[in-house]
Amino acid sequence: MIHGETVKVLHPSIAGMDAYNTPIRKWTEESVDNVLVGTPTADDVATSVNPEGLLVSMSLYFPRSYQGTLRDCKVVVRGIEYRVIGDPVALNGGLTPTSWNMQVNVCRDDGR
């Protein structure tokens, strides 16, 4: 039987404004069990200005039991923080043979 990993979802909230009237974000942490983690894909985005530039992306598959929204969230996978792309939506297909129904694309930028 397939079983995924536990990841941490970081949910943003506004905790006030700073001296420049910019929102101050506060992050709350939620553990989610049984998330399937895809293979990371790296894209070399290095330029003469940013020679260390690297974009890493991957797909995560969240279990049916997860009911939260992931818009503007971050996900910590194996100790590395990734940013959620877009607003993932769970598939609504009735009876299906798997425990996962939401694909979540995440990425991180290094050296940029």
Side-chain angles (χ1 to χ4, degrees):
M1 176 181 273
I2 298 174
H3 188 75
E5 302 178 28
T6 298
V7 300
K8 293 178 185 173
V9 176
L10 304 176
H11 296 278
S13 62
I14 304 300
M17 304 296 258
D18 67 9
Y20 300 102
N21 208 27
T22 303
I24 300 169
R25 283 192 172 192
K26 181 178 116 181
W27 298 92
T28 56
E29 187 177 295
E30 172 188 16
S31 290
V32 180
D33 190 32
N34 199 21
V35 175
L36 296 180
V37 178
T39 304
T41 303
D43 291 326
D44 184 6
V45 291
T47 65
S48 60
V49 178
N50 297 308
E52 300 295 320
L54 183 66
L55 175 67
V56 178
S57 60
M58 75 170 120
S59 293
L60 307 175
Y61 300 90
F62 273 61
R64 293 182 181 283
S65 59
Y66 186 76
Q67 298 297 316
T69 180
L70 293 171
R71 183 181 183 92
D72 296 327
C73 290
K74 297 178 183 180
V75 181
V76 179
V77 180
R78 300 175 189 157
I80 300 172
E81 189 175 286
Y82 294 88
R83 181 175 41 89
V84 173
I85 299 170
D87 187 9
V89 178
L91 298 175
N92 185 12
L95 296 175
T96 57
T98 68
S99 297
W100 304 272
N101 69 337
M102 185 167 51
Q103 179 178 347
V104 178
N105 295 315
V106 296
C107 72
R108 80 170 201 261
D109 290 330
D110 290 343
R112 298 198 324 159

